[in-house]
């Protein structure tokens, strides 16, 4: 017999993500799902952000990695609360892993929770982890065709950080081309060219964070 | 290779539906996935086959159908599907606006029906 079903295959993940989202709303925490390829500069950007905004916000980090806790150690060195999730080969974080991590953390008074996903431009895009927004970091060393090759992640993101702009003189990367392609998929995407190493452009990213923390507090 | 996780969720839903309808053998399952969802149908089929060995679902056919990308022009609000090779610089065929359209479909991933006895 034919049985019509029509159910979202990832509904189990979505249900837990909704629960997380309610927790973040109750506690007025801005939750950001940070995604990128391996080596695009996610951890360096986080270290810099955590250091520069230390006086303004209380921030916490969930570090998703396939192996090792190197990144959590780097992040913890800034003074922020950091918790490592090792996926043991898994290519993305899912909402149940994040829920487990959140239950182990002290989120009292936290303004921003950064969820650093596994370095991968494909799989993390498919799994919500209860975040307010997805933020994708693309480094100029990776090539400006990436939004074209990995459409879903850029279509789903609220922010695209174009990192390592200090390398622009040495690589063939058109900020305009990458931005246009991202915008063709996603009319509301915010694009910030930055260098986590030199600090260039980070003020715009910080202003966006300030604005969103403020919005979340008022919800 | 996140198709493994997706296949696991798929198997969980099918189990639930089979119990609900009192059926014991799965013949076919139909899945629809969006053109820009990050799904490789062959990988999903392989993962599904591997996961169902020794269960009521073993040997069932997994049928996948792609849902084309559809966008709504930010300028004239008409709907269109971009040409295959024009996927990402999606020029509106009506008013030629290039950027900032809204994606209406093409990101979904759902199970449409199962056939069982």
């Amino acid at each position: 017999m034919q049985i019509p079903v029509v159910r979202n295959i990832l509904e189990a993940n979505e249900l837990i993500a909704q629960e997380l989202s309610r927790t973040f709303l109750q506690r007025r925490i801005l939750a950001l799902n940070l995604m990128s390829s391996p080596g695009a500069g996610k951890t360096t950007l986080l270290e810099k952000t955590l250091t520069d905004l230390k006086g303004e916000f209380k921030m916490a980090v969930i570090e998703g990695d396939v192996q090792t806790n190197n990144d959590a150690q780097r992040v913890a060195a800034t003074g922020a609360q950091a918790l490592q999730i090792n996926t043991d080969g898994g290519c993305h974080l899912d909402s149940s892993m994040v829920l487990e991590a959140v239950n182990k953390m002290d989120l009292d008074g936290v303004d921003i929770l950064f969820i650093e996903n596994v370095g991968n431009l494909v799989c993390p895009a498919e799994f919500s982890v209860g975040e307010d927004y997805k933020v994708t970091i693309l480094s100029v060393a990776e090539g400006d065709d990436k939004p074209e090759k990995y459409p879903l992640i850029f279509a789903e993101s609220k922010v695209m950080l174009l990192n390592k702009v200090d390398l622009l003189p040495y690589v063939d990367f058109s900020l305009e081309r990458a931005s246009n392609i991202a915008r063709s998929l996603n009319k509301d995407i915010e694009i910030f060219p930055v260098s986590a190493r030199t600090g260039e452009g980070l003020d715009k990213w910080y202003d966006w964070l300030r604005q969103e923390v403020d919005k979340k507090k008022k919800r | 290779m996140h198709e493994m996780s997706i296949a696991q969720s798929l198997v969980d839903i099918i189990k639930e539906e089979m119990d609900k309808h009192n059926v014991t053998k799965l013949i076919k399952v139909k899945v629809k996935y969006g053109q820009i969802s990050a799904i490789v149908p062959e990988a999903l089929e392989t993962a599904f086959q591997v996961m169902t060995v020794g269960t009521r679902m073993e040997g069932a056919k997994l049928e996948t159908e792609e849902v084309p990308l559809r966008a709504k022009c930010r300028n004239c609000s008409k709907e269109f599907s971009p040409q295959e090779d024009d996927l990402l610089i999606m020029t509106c065929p009506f008013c030629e606006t290039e950027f900032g359209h809204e994606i209406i479909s093409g990101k979904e991933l759902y199970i449409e029906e199962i056939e069982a006895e």
Side-chain angles (χ1 to χ4, degrees):
Chain A
M1 71 181 198
Q2 303 278 80
I3 304 167
V5 178
V6 191
R7 286 171 63 174
N8 174 357
I9 295 177
L10 295 175
E11 61 182 23
N13 187 72
E14 287 301 322
L15 282 172
I16 299 172
Q18 283 163 13
E19 186 184 331
L20 280 163
S21 172
R22 282 193 294 274
T23 303
F24 299 145
L25 181 59
Q26 273 162 1
R27 294 169 162 263
R28 297 288 185 277
I29 296 170
L30 177 68
L32 300 174
N33 182 356
L34 300 185
M35 306 181 294
S36 80
S37 307
K42 276 195 302 296
T43 311
T44 305
L45 183 97
L46 256 182
E47 283 174 309
K48 189 89 180 130
T49 304
L50 295 166
T51 306
D52 290 350
L53 299 182
K54 201 188 272 189
E56 280 180 69
F57 301 120
K58 187 171 176 186
M59 295 170 281
V61 179
I62 293 174
E63 271 294 340
D65 264 313
V66 174
Q67 283 299 347
T68 81
N69 63 356
N70 302 0
D71 286 0
Q73 287 175 354
R74 280 173 63 186
V75 165
T78 67
Q81 180 188 183
L83 191 122
Q84 181 77 41
I85 300 177
N86 272 123
T87 61
D88 288 330
C91 50
H92 59 275
L93 292 178
D94 66 33
S95 54
S96 63
M97 297 175 195
V98 172
L99 181 65
E100 203 177 318
V102 160
N103 288 338
K104 288 181 190 158
M105 295 173 92
D106 172 16
L107 292 178
D108 262 13
V110 167
D111 301 301
I112 308 175
L113 173 65
F114 293 103
I115 301 161
E116 188 180 340
N117 220 309
V118 179
N120 177 341
L121 285 179
V122 182
C123 317
E126 209 91 55
F127 295 83
S128 164
V129 292
E131 70 272 9
D132 290 287
Y133 301 116
K134 291 180 165 72
V135 173
T136 299
I137 299 148
L138 173 67
S139 70
V140 303
E142 294 167 75
D144 55 19
D145 59 349
K146 290 299 163 294
E148 207 164 348
K149 287 187 168 171
Y150 302 93
L152 185 68
I153 206 161
F154 294 97
E156 294 277 309
S157 292
K158 177 67 183 172
V159 174
M160 173 166 77
L161 287 157
L162 293 168
N163 193 24
K164 308 191 187 181
V165 291
D166 50 314
L167 297 180
L168 279 173
Y170 312 101
V171 294
D172 292 325
F173 186 100
S174 157
L175 290 179
E176 190 191 18
R177 181 164 183 255
S179 304
N180 282 349
I181 292 170
R183 282 201 189 100
S184 82
L185 301 168
N186 182 339
K187 65 183 192 333
D188 300 321
I189 196 165
E190 305 263 7
I191 301 171
F192 305 122
V194 300
S195 166
R197 202 165 67 96
T198 67
E200 187 185 338
L202 288 175
D203 51 339
K204 291 211 168 54
W205 159 238
Y206 295 161
D207 284 344
W208 182 83
L209 287 172
R210 290 182 187 110
Q211 167 199 309
E212 293 303 326
V213 167
D214 202 45
K215 258 200 233 166
K216 188 90 192 210
K217 298 277 182 235
K218 288 179 180 150
R219 278 184 66 188
Chain B
M1 175 64 185
H2 59 302
E3 281 80 3
M4 267 315 207
S5 323
I6 291 169
Q8 184 58 60
S9 306
L10 181 62
V11 165
D12 291 343
I13 293 177
I14 297 171
K15 260 190 208 143
E16 211 179 286
E17 293 288 335
M18 286 177 77
D19 290 343
K20 201 163 46 178
H21 295 276
N22 285 323
V23 288
T24 51
K25 185 170 171 48
L26 183 72
I27 317 256
K28 193 180 87 180
V29 51
K30 186 165 176 196
V31 167
K32 284 195 157 181
Y33 67 97
Q35 189 176 352
I36 67 159
S37 73
I39 299 295
V40 180
E42 295 79 5
L44 187 60
E45 282 161 33
T46 305
F48 181 73
Q49 272 169 6
V50 170
M51 262 177 207
T52 51
V53 170
T55 70
R56 302 176 282 175
M57 302 170 211
E58 185 169 6
K61 185 173 170 13
L62 170 62
E63 206 175 275
T64 51
E65 187 185 326
E66 187 180 82
V67 180
L69 182 63
R70 279 194 73 70
K72 185 176 176 177
C73 176
R74 72 174 156 109
N75 181 45
C76 71
S77 298
K78 290 197 175 100
E79 287 184 25
F80 64 97
S81 275
Q83 298 298 320
E84 191 65 40
D85 53 358
D86 188 33
L87 189 55
L88 294 164
I89 299 285
M90 298 191 284
T91 307
C92 170
F94 305 103
C95 72
E96 300 194 347
T97 300
E98 280 187 340
F99 304 118
H101 309 305
E102 186 186 340
I103 293 176
I104 302 168
S105 74
K107 295 197 291 193
E108 51 279 271
L109 172 62
Y110 64 95
I111 172 170
E112 190 175 56
E113 62 172 18
I114 59 176
E115 193 180 316
E117 55 191 26

mmCIF file of all heavy atoms in Angstrom, chain A residues 101-143:
data_model
loop_
_atom_site.group_PDB
_atom_site.id
_atom_site.type_symbol
_atom_site.label_atom_id
_atom_site.label_comp_id
_atom_site.label_asym_id
_atom_site.label_seq_id
_atom_site.Cartn_x
_atom_site.Cartn_y
_atom_site.Cartn_z
ATOM 1 N N ALA A 101 26.292 19.963 24.943
ATOM 2 C CA ALA A 101 27.310 20.937 25.333
ATOM 3 C C ALA A 101 26.699 22.059 26.170
ATOM 4 O O ALA A 101 27.236 22.434 27.220
ATOM 5 C CB ALA A 101 27.977 21.516 24.088
ATOM 6 N N VAL A 102 25.551 22.559 25.722
ATOM 7 C CA VAL A 102 24.879 23.662 26.416
ATOM 8 C C VAL A 102 24.526 23.255 27.851
ATOM 9 O O VAL A 102 24.654 24.040 28.785
ATOM 10 C CB VAL A 102 23.626 24.102 25.614
ATOM 11 C CG1 VAL A 102 22.636 24.861 26.469
ATOM 12 C CG2 VAL A 102 24.056 24.950 24.419
ATOM 13 N N ASN A 103 24.117 21.980 28.008
ATOM 14 C CA ASN A 103 23.764 21.502 29.346
ATOM 15 C C ASN A 103 24.955 21.444 30.296
ATOM 16 O O ASN A 103 24.781 21.405 31.503
ATOM 17 C CB ASN A 103 23.093 20.123 29.271
ATOM 18 C CG ASN A 103 21.694 20.241 28.689
ATOM 19 O OD1 ASN A 103 21.098 21.316 28.734
ATOM 20 N ND2 ASN A 103 21.170 19.158 28.135
ATOM 21 N N LYS A 104 26.165 21.413 29.729
ATOM 22 C CA LYS A 104 27.360 21.349 30.578
ATOM 23 C C LYS A 104 27.925 22.742 30.863
ATOM 24 O O LYS A 104 28.877 22.874 31.600
ATOM 25 C CB LYS A 104 28.465 20.547 29.867
ATOM 26 C CG LYS A 104 28.195 19.063 29.788
ATOM 27 C CD LYS A 104 29.360 18.375 29.088
ATOM 28 C CE LYS A 104 29.018 16.927 28.762
ATOM 29 N NZ LYS A 104 29.874 16.426 27.671
ATOM 30 N N MET A 105 27.377 23.753 30.192
ATOM 31 C CA MET A 105 27.982 25.084 30.312
ATOM 32 C C MET A 105 27.237 25.955 31.303
ATOM 33 O O MET A 105 26.077 25.714 31.609
ATOM 34 C CB MET A 105 28.004 25.780 28.940
ATOM 35 C CG MET A 105 28.899 25.090 27.943
ATOM 36 S SD MET A 105 28.750 25.811 26.310
ATOM 37 C CE MET A 105 30.050 27.024 26.345
ATOM 38 N N ASP A 106 27.933 26.983 31.763
ATOM 39 C CA ASP A 106 27.282 27.966 32.603
ATOM 40 C C ASP A 106 26.940 29.162 31.715
ATOM 41 O O ASP A 106 27.824 29.934 31.337
ATOM 42 C CB ASP A 106 28.242 28.392 33.724
ATOM 43 C CG ASP A 106 27.677 29.559 34.517
ATOM 44 O OD1 ASP A 106 26.458 29.817 34.401
ATOM 45 O OD2 ASP A 106 28.453 30.214 35.229
ATOM 46 N N LEU A 107 25.678 29.273 31.350
ATOM 47 C CA LEU A 107 25.310 30.321 30.391
ATOM 48 C C LEU A 107 24.760 31.572 31.078
ATOM 49 O O LEU A 107 24.235 32.467 30.426
ATOM 50 C CB LEU A 107 24.297 29.777 29.386
ATOM 51 C CG LEU A 107 24.854 28.716 28.424
ATOM 52 C CD1 LEU A 107 23.776 28.209 27.493
ATOM 53 C CD2 LEU A 107 26.025 29.261 27.609
ATOM 54 N N ASP A 108 24.893 31.620 32.397
ATOM 55 C CA ASP A 108 24.392 32.779 33.135
ATOM 56 C C ASP A 108 25.051 34.076 32.673
ATOM 57 O O ASP A 108 26.273 34.189 32.714
ATOM 58 C CB ASP A 108 24.657 32.608 34.636
ATOM 59 C CG ASP A 108 23.409 32.092 35.326
ATOM 60 O OD1 ASP A 108 22.476 31.647 34.620
ATOM 61 O OD2 ASP A 108 23.356 32.150 36.550
ATOM 62 N N GLY A 109 24.237 34.995 32.213
ATOM 63 C CA GLY A 109 24.765 36.308 31.855
ATOM 64 C C GLY A 109 25.515 36.343 30.532
ATOM 65 O O GLY A 109 26.072 37.372 30.157
ATOM 66 N N VAL A 110 25.528 35.208 29.802
ATOM 67 C CA VAL A 110 26.234 35.193 28.519
ATOM 68 C C VAL A 110 25.441 36.007 27.486
ATOM 69 O O VAL A 110 24.233 35.852 27.367
ATOM 70 C CB VAL A 110 26.462 33.735 28.030
ATOM 71 C CG1 VAL A 110 26.907 33.703 26.575
ATOM 72 C CG2 VAL A 110 27.490 33.033 28.912
ATOM 73 N N ASP A 111 26.133 36.881 26.768
ATOM 74 C CA ASP A 111 25.481 37.700 25.737
ATOM 75 C C ASP A 111 25.566 37.031 24.363
ATOM 76 O O ASP A 111 24.626 37.084 23.584
ATOM 77 C CB ASP A 111 26.170 39.075 25.634
ATOM 78 C CG ASP A 111 26.119 39.836 26.949
ATOM 79 O OD1 ASP A 111 25.004 40.093 27.432
ATOM 80 O OD2 ASP A 111 27.202 40.148 27.489
ATOM 81 N N ILE A 112 26.734 36.461 24.074
ATOM 82 C CA ILE A 112 26.919 35.834 22.755
ATOM 83 C C ILE A 112 27.482 34.428 22.934
ATOM 84 O O ILE A 112 28.468 34.225 23.646
ATOM 85 C CB ILE A 112 27.912 36.629 21.863
ATOM 86 C CG1 ILE A 112 27.529 38.113 21.778
ATOM 87 C CG2 ILE A 112 27.969 36.026 20.455
ATOM 88 C CD1 ILE A 112 28.540 38.969 21.005
ATOM 89 N N LEU A 113 26.856 33.469 22.264
ATOM 90 C CA LEU A 113 27.399 32.105 22.216
ATOM 91 C C LEU A 113 27.827 31.836 20.773
ATOM 92 O O LEU A 113 27.005 31.870 19.856
ATOM 93 C CB LEU A 113 26.341 31.083 22.635
ATOM 94 C CG LEU A 113 26.742 29.606 22.472
ATOM 95 C CD1 LEU A 113 27.901 29.221 23.394
ATOM 96 C CD2 LEU A 113 25.556 28.681 22.735
ATOM 97 N N PHE A 114 29.126 31.629 20.599
ATOM 98 C CA PHE A 114 29.636 31.274 19.272
ATOM 99 C C PHE A 114 29.706 29.754 19.181
ATOM 100 O O PHE A 114 30.333 29.113 20.030
ATOM 101 C CB PHE A 114 31.046 31.845 19.056
ATOM 102 C CG PHE A 114 31.096 33.342 18.977
ATOM 103 C CD1 PHE A 114 31.545 34.092 20.060
ATOM 104 C CD2 PHE A 114 30.709 34.008 17.816
ATOM 105 C CE1 PHE A 114 31.606 35.486 19.982
ATOM 106 C CE2 PHE A 114 30.767 35.397 17.739
ATOM 107 C CZ PHE A 114 31.216 36.134 18.822
ATOM 108 N N ILE A 115 29.065 29.191 18.169
ATOM 109 C CA ILE A 115 29.149 27.745 17.960
ATOM 110 C C ILE A 115 30.035 27.539 16.744
ATOM 111 O O ILE A 115 29.623 27.790 15.604
ATOM 112 C CB ILE A 115 27.741 27.148 17.737
ATOM 113 C CG1 ILE A 115 26.857 27.442 18.951
ATOM 114 C CG2 ILE A 115 27.833 25.631 17.481
ATOM 115 C CD1 ILE A 115 25.371 27.322 18.693
ATOM 116 N N GLU A 116 31.289 27.147 16.989
ATOM 117 C CA GLU A 116 32.226 26.994 15.878
ATOM 118 C C GLU A 116 32.069 25.597 15.300
ATOM 119 O O GLU A 116 32.391 24.603 15.942
ATOM 120 C CB GLU A 116 33.672 27.235 16.340
ATOM 121 C CG GLU A 116 34.611 27.264 15.151
ATOM 122 C CD GLU A 116 36.081 27.501 15.504
ATOM 123 O OE1 GLU A 116 36.388 28.008 16.578
ATOM 124 O OE2 GLU A 116 36.912 27.158 14.648
ATOM 125 N N ASN A 117 31.559 25.534 14.088
ATOM 126 C CA ASN A 117 31.248 24.247 13.464
ATOM 127 C C ASN A 117 32.503 23.574 12.916
ATOM 128 O O ASN A 117 33.579 24.173 12.871
ATOM 129 C CB ASN A 117 30.213 24.471 12.349
ATOM 130 C CG ASN A 117 29.157 23.373 12.310
ATOM 131 O OD1 ASN A 117 29.495 22.194 12.282
ATOM 132 N ND2 ASN A 117 27.904 23.757 12.311
ATOM 133 N N VAL A 118 32.362 22.346 12.484
ATOM 134 C CA VAL A 118 33.475 21.607 11.891
ATOM 135 C C VAL A 118 33.832 22.269 10.550
ATOM 136 O O VAL A 118 32.937 22.688 9.812
ATOM 137 C CB VAL A 118 33.055 20.141 11.663
ATOM 138 C CG1 VAL A 118 34.170 19.334 11.012
ATOM 139 C CG2 VAL A 118 32.631 19.503 12.977
ATOM 140 N N GLY A 119 35.122 22.366 10.241
ATOM 141 C CA GLY A 119 35.550 23.008 8.999
ATOM 142 C C GLY A 119 35.084 22.233 7.778
ATOM 143 O O GLY A 119 35.565 21.143 7.491
ATOM 144 N N ASN A 120 34.090 22.792 7.059
ATOM 145 C CA ASN A 120 33.447 22.063 5.966
ATOM 146 C C ASN A 120 32.383 22.997 5.381
ATOM 147 O O ASN A 120 31.588 23.557 6.121
ATOM 148 C CB ASN A 120 32.795 20.813 6.583
ATOM 149 C CG ASN A 120 32.016 19.954 5.597
ATOM 150 O OD1 ASN A 120 31.635 20.399 4.525
ATOM 151 N ND2 ASN A 120 31.762 18.720 5.972
ATOM 152 N N LEU A 121 32.367 23.170 4.070
ATOM 153 C CA LEU A 121 31.384 24.087 3.469
ATOM 154 C C LEU A 121 30.111 23.382 3.011
ATOM 155 O O LEU A 121 29.225 24.014 2.463
ATOM 156 C CB LEU A 121 32.002 24.833 2.275
ATOM 157 C CG LEU A 121 32.996 25.959 2.563
ATOM 158 C CD1 LEU A 121 33.506 26.564 1.259
ATOM 159 C CD2 LEU A 121 32.383 27.060 3.428
ATOM 160 N N VAL A 122 30.041 22.073 3.197
ATOM 161 C CA VAL A 122 28.879 21.342 2.684
ATOM 162 C C VAL A 122 27.910 20.942 3.800
ATOM 163 O O VAL A 122 26.798 21.451 3.895
ATOM 164 C CB VAL A 122 29.308 20.083 1.896
ATOM 165 C CG1 VAL A 122 28.086 19.368 1.325
ATOM 166 C CG2 VAL A 122 30.254 20.459 0.769
ATOM 167 N N CYS A 123 28.350 20.017 4.628
ATOM 168 C CA CYS A 123 27.426 19.354 5.557
ATOM 169 C C CYS A 123 26.835 20.253 6.645
ATOM 170 O O CYS A 123 25.641 20.161 6.927
ATOM 171 C CB CYS A 123 28.094 18.137 6.169
ATOM 172 S SG CYS A 123 29.005 17.176 4.936
ATOM 173 N N PRO A 124 27.627 21.133 7.278
ATOM 174 C CA PRO A 124 27.044 21.925 8.367
ATOM 175 C C PRO A 124 25.834 22.760 7.932
ATOM 176 O O PRO A 124 24.964 23.061 8.743
ATOM 177 C CB PRO A 124 28.199 22.830 8.809
ATOM 178 C CG PRO A 124 29.421 22.064 8.458
ATOM 179 C CD PRO A 124 29.074 21.397 7.159
ATOM 180 N N ALA A 125 25.768 23.108 6.642
ATOM 181 C CA ALA A 125 24.683 23.970 6.164
ATOM 182 C C ALA A 125 23.314 23.319 6.342
ATOM 183 O O ALA A 125 22.297 23.989 6.427
ATOM 184 C CB ALA A 125 24.898 24.299 4.683
ATOM 185 N N GLU A 126 23.310 22.008 6.394
ATOM 186 C CA GLU A 126 22.051 21.263 6.405
ATOM 187 C C GLU A 126 21.461 21.090 7.818
ATOM 188 O O GLU A 126 20.306 20.742 7.967
ATOM 189 C CB GLU A 126 22.335 19.880 5.813
ATOM 190 C CG GLU A 126 21.175 19.243 5.121
ATOM 191 C CD GLU A 126 21.134 19.568 3.638
ATOM 192 O OE1 GLU A 126 22.113 19.326 2.915
ATOM 193 O OE2 GLU A 126 20.089 20.054 3.221
ATOM 194 N N PHE A 127 22.298 21.300 8.842
ATOM 195 C CA PHE A 127 21.868 20.983 10.208
ATOM 196 C C PHE A 127 21.808 22.223 11.086
ATOM 197 O O PHE A 127 22.833 22.783 11.441
ATOM 198 C CB PHE A 127 22.843 19.969 10.841
ATOM 199 C CG PHE A 127 22.834 18.642 10.152
ATOM 200 C CD1 PHE A 127 23.589 18.441 9.002
ATOM 201 C CD2 PHE A 127 22.058 17.587 10.629
ATOM 202 C CE1 PHE A 127 23.566 17.220 8.337
ATOM 203 C CE2 PHE A 127 22.036 16.371 9.973
ATOM 204 C CZ PHE A 127 22.786 16.176 8.828
ATOM 205 N N SER A 128 20.591 22.624 11.427
ATOM 206 C CA SER A 128 20.429 23.750 12.326
ATOM 207 C C SER A 128 20.844 23.327 13.738
ATOM 208 O O SER A 128 20.627 22.186 14.130
ATOM 209 C CB SER A 128 18.958 24.170 12.314
ATOM 210 O OG SER A 128 18.697 24.986 13.419
ATOM 211 N N VAL A 129 21.446 24.245 14.487
ATOM 212 C CA VAL A 129 21.811 23.935 15.873
ATOM 213 C C VAL A 129 21.164 24.945 16.829
ATOM 214 O O VAL A 129 21.698 25.219 17.897
ATOM 215 C CB VAL A 129 23.352 23.874 16.069
ATOM 216 C CG1 VAL A 129 23.946 22.673 15.338
ATOM 217 C CG2 VAL A 129 24.035 25.159 15.608
ATOM 218 N N GLY A 130 20.021 25.493 16.410
ATOM 219 C CA GLY A 130 19.284 26.407 17.280
ATOM 220 C C GLY A 130 19.792 27.841 17.234
ATOM 221 O O GLY A 130 19.409 28.673 18.045
ATOM 222 N N GLU A 131 20.652 28.136 16.253
ATOM 223 C CA GLU A 131 21.279 29.456 16.196
ATOM 224 C C GLU A 131 20.302 30.538 15.743
ATOM 225 O O GLU A 131 19.314 30.252 15.081
ATOM 226 C CB GLU A 131 22.452 29.420 15.194
ATOM 227 C CG GLU A 131 22.043 29.289 13.712
ATOM 228 C CD GLU A 131 21.886 27.844 13.234
ATOM 229 O OE1 GLU A 131 21.926 26.924 14.074
ATOM 230 O OE2 GLU A 131 21.705 27.654 12.021
ATOM 231 N N ASP A 132 20.624 31.782 16.094
ATOM 232 C CA ASP A 132 19.883 32.921 15.537
ATOM 233 C C ASP A 132 20.274 33.085 14.074
ATOM 234 O O ASP A 132 19.428 33.320 13.222
ATOM 235 C CB ASP A 132 20.233 34.215 16.282
ATOM 236 C CG ASP A 132 19.663 34.212 17.688
ATOM 237 O OD1 ASP A 132 18.441 34.368 17.810
ATOM 238 O OD2 ASP A 132 20.442 34.025 18.637
ATOM 239 N N TYR A 133 21.587 33.013 13.825
ATOM 240 C CA TYR A 133 22.079 33.196 12.465
ATOM 241 C C TYR A 133 23.243 32.269 12.172
ATOM 242 O O TYR A 133 24.012 31.920 13.054
ATOM 243 C CB TYR A 133 22.596 34.629 12.251
ATOM 244 C CG TYR A 133 21.579 35.707 12.474
ATOM 245 C CD1 TYR A 133 21.753 36.632 13.501
ATOM 246 C CD2 TYR A 133 20.456 35.815 11.657
ATOM 247 C CE1 TYR A 133 20.827 37.637 13.711
ATOM 248 C CE2 TYR A 133 19.525 36.819 11.864
ATOM 249 C CZ TYR A 133 19.709 37.728 12.888
ATOM 250 O OH TYR A 133 18.799 38.724 13.096
ATOM 251 N N LYS A 134 23.375 31.947 10.901
ATOM 252 C CA LYS A 134 24.577 31.277 10.423
ATOM 253 C C LYS A 134 25.526 32.358 9.896
ATOM 254 O O LYS A 134 25.084 33.295 9.218
ATOM 255 C CB LYS A 134 24.239 30.318 9.276
ATOM 256 C CG LYS A 134 23.418 29.099 9.705
ATOM 257 C CD LYS A 134 23.124 28.209 8.507
ATOM 258 C CE LYS A 134 22.653 26.837 8.925
ATOM 259 N NZ LYS A 134 21.289 26.829 9.471
ATOM 260 N N VAL A 135 26.805 32.201 10.207
ATOM 261 C CA VAL A 135 27.817 33.139 9.744
ATOM 262 C C VAL A 135 28.871 32.327 9.009
ATOM 263 O O VAL A 135 29.444 31.397 9.591
ATOM 264 C CB VAL A 135 28.469 33.868 10.947
ATOM 265 C CG1 VAL A 135 29.643 34.723 10.486
ATOM 266 C CG2 VAL A 135 27.436 34.726 11.685
ATOM 267 N N THR A 136 29.094 32.620 7.733
ATOM 268 C CA THR A 136 30.097 31.865 6.984
ATOM 269 C C THR A 136 31.335 32.716 6.755
ATOM 270 O O THR A 136 31.241 33.877 6.373
ATOM 271 C CB THR A 136 29.517 31.374 5.639
ATOM 272 O OG1 THR A 136 28.412 30.517 5.919
ATOM 273 C CG2 THR A 136 30.547 30.579 4.847
ATOM 274 N N ILE A 137 32.478 32.115 7.032
ATOM 275 C CA ILE A 137 33.752 32.801 6.829
ATOM 276 C C ILE A 137 34.406 32.193 5.593
ATOM 277 O O ILE A 137 34.571 30.975 5.499
ATOM 278 C CB ILE A 137 34.670 32.618 8.064
ATOM 279 C CG1 ILE A 137 33.985 33.236 9.288
ATOM 280 C CG2 ILE A 137 36.033 33.252 7.843
ATOM 281 C CD1 ILE A 137 34.293 32.537 10.563
ATOM 282 N N LEU A 138 34.727 33.059 4.632
ATOM 283 C CA LEU A 138 35.406 32.600 3.424
ATOM 284 C C LEU A 138 36.694 33.399 3.323
ATOM 285 O O LEU A 138 36.668 34.621 3.390
ATOM 286 C CB LEU A 138 34.508 32.874 2.205
ATOM 287 C CG LEU A 138 35.125 32.610 0.827
ATOM 288 C CD1 LEU A 138 35.376 31.124 0.620
ATOM 289 C CD2 LEU A 138 34.198 33.133 -0.278
ATOM 290 N N SER A 139 37.833 32.710 3.203
ATOM 291 C CA SER A 139 39.079 33.469 3.105
ATOM 292 C C SER A 139 39.402 33.689 1.634
ATOM 293 O O SER A 139 39.087 32.843 0.789
ATOM 294 C CB SER A 139 40.216 32.716 3.800
ATOM 295 O OG SER A 139 40.557 31.566 3.071
ATOM 296 N N VAL A 140 40.035 34.815 1.340
ATOM 297 C CA VAL A 140 40.283 35.168 -0.063
ATOM 298 C C VAL A 140 41.258 34.185 -0.718
ATOM 299 O O VAL A 140 41.325 34.088 -1.942
ATOM 300 C CB VAL A 140 40.787 36.620 -0.218
ATOM 301 C CG1 VAL A 140 39.784 37.597 0.390
ATOM 302 C CG2 VAL A 140 42.155 36.808 0.385
ATOM 303 N N ALA A 141 41.989 33.429 0.102
ATOM 304 C CA ALA A 141 42.922 32.444 -0.467
ATOM 305 C C ALA A 141 42.184 31.259 -1.081
ATOM 306 O O ALA A 141 42.760 30.491 -1.838
ATOM 307 C CB ALA A 141 43.879 31.955 0.621
ATOM 308 N N GLU A 142 40.888 31.132 -0.765
ATOM 309 C CA GLU A 142 40.133 29.966 -1.252
ATOM 310 C C GLU A 142 39.555 30.155 -2.657
ATOM 311 O O GLU A 142 39.097 29.189 -3.260
ATOM 312 C CB GLU A 142 38.980 29.648 -0.291
ATOM 313 C CG GLU A 142 39.437 29.189 1.073
ATOM 314 C CD GLU A 142 38.282 29.188 2.062
ATOM 315 O OE1 GLU A 142 37.440 28.279 1.974
ATOM 316 O OE2 GLU A 142 38.216 30.096 2.906
ATOM 317 N N GLY A 143 39.517 31.381 -3.132
ATOM 318 C CA GLY A 143 38.968 31.616 -4.472
ATOM 319 C C GLY A 143 37.562 32.188 -4.423
ATOM 320 O O GLY A 143 36.760 31.820 -3.572
#
